[in-house]
Amino acid sequence: MKKLFYLSVLVYALSFGLQSCNNGKTYAEMKEEEADAINKFILENDINVISEKEFIENDTMTAENEFVLFDKSGVYMNIQYRGDGKILEEGRYNLSSRFIEICIKDVPDMAISAGDTLATNRFYPYATYSENFLLTVGSNTSYSASFTNIAQSAMYEMYSTSAVPSGWLVPFAYLKMKSYISAPPSEKIARVRLIVPHSEGTSLATQYVYPCYYEITYDLN
């Protein structure tokens, strides 16, 4: 089967195993470097950051290059299109996604530079290589999810885990989901841009304390 991920970062990550990745730095120092990298990315891309209060006042919408910062998670979100369906209620849902994951901080221990693409499925046939996952919406509007088609999952190939990063789930409280799977790609598919800190990211992001930028579409199956 054709591999979805060609970057050599996985080899580096596996070779280091459980080896210490902080180069003698404290966790507080690594978090500070992460914050600096996020701020640099925001400045370089002329991003306008708004508060959750402003986001609510704007009917939970964002302008073209406007990101809302969620204080609790540290995730920044720009809604490019929220969808024309309904916000998901309590239950379980099958979804498909197209995405690109870009590191926004140098990670010397993994031979990664800011701007490197770590994983993506955007350049493969939609029906064959969509990132599929099962989303559970809890009674208290909590969200959890796991990738289901592991054999064709770029994220699983990269991180060897079926857990969907919690940062990916933040938008679901605001997206109006509807199925367009029969005729993708569609301008009506819900799509967002995210800046995700390590604490809400992948297993490697958590281990090596680096943030990522994502562009993601969500299609309800």
Side-chain angles (χ1 to χ4, degrees):
M1 179 178 295
K2 187 173 182 179
K3 297 298 184 182
L4 299 181
F5 178 71
Y6 296 96
L7 197 61
S8 61
V9 62
L10 181 58
V11 177
Y12 281 94
L14 292 175
S15 66
F16 276 98
L18 297 177
Q19 177 179 325
S20 173
C21 61
N22 63 17
N23 250 352
K25 296 175 183 176
T26 66
Y27 179 56
E29 289 172 330
M30 289 189 287
K31 285 176 54 178
E32 184 174 350
E33 289 182 352
E34 177 185 49
D36 290 342
I38 291 174
N39 289 333
K40 180 181 179 183
F41 181 83
I42 288 170
L43 289 172
E44 289 179 345
N45 290 278
D46 296 319
I47 291 171
N48 178 37
V49 178
I50 63 172
S51 67
E52 292 179 68
K53 182 176 182 293
E54 292 173 290
F55 180 57
I56 298 300
E57 290 173 350
N58 292 339
D59 192 27
T60 64
M61 296 293 290
T62 54
E64 182 176 353
N65 210 31
E66 185 177 75
F67 283 65
V68 54
L69 169 60
F70 296 100
D71 292 326
K72 184 177 180 179
S73 64
V75 171
Y76 297 75
M77 178 182 70
N78 169 259
I79 298 177
Q80 294 180 293
Y81 184 71
R82 70 188 303 180
D84 60 357
K86 297 180 179 180
I87 292 177
L88 299 179
E89 299 177 347
E90 181 180 356
R92 305 178 81 188
Y93 303 88
N94 289 300
L95 292 106
S96 297
S97 286
R98 306 293 280 180
F99 79 98
I100 188 168
E101 177 187 57
I102 298 174
C103 188
I104 57 177
K105 176 183 177 293
D106 292 337
V107 190
D109 289 321
M110 296 178 65
I112 292 174
S113 298
D116 284 350
T117 297
L118 303 184
T120 184
N121 67 355
R122 283 173 48 165
F123 309 110
Y124 294 88
Y126 192 95
T128 307
Y129 290 109
S130 290
E131 199 74 37
N132 301 314
F133 59 92
L134 178 65
L135 172 71
T136 299
V137 182
S139 57
N140 57 346
T141 320
S142 60
Y143 300 89
S144 61
S146 57
F147 295 112
T148 53
N149 194 355
I150 291 175
Q152 296 178 342
S153 169
M155 290 297 283
Y156 184 83
E157 185 173 338
M158 174 64 184
Y159 301 108
S160 299
T161 176
S162 61
V164 177
S166 55
W168 279 39
L169 309 182
V170 169
F172 284 109
Y174 310 100
L175 300 182
K176 296 183 176 181
M177 300 301 302
K178 186 177 180 179
S179 176
Y180 290 97
I181 196 68
S182 61
S186 169
E187 292 183 359
K188 293 185 177 182
I189 292 177
R191 57 191 181 274
V192 302
R193 296 188 293 161
L194 302 173
I195 301 171
V196 178
H198 76 283
S199 56
E200 305 296 315
T202 65
S203 55
L204 283 182
T206 300
Q207 180 181 354
Y208 288 89
V209 192
Y210 63 83
C212 285
Y213 167 77
Y214 292 93
E215 295 178 2
I216 311 177
T217 65
Y218 302 101
D219 195 3
L220 184 64
N221 291 352

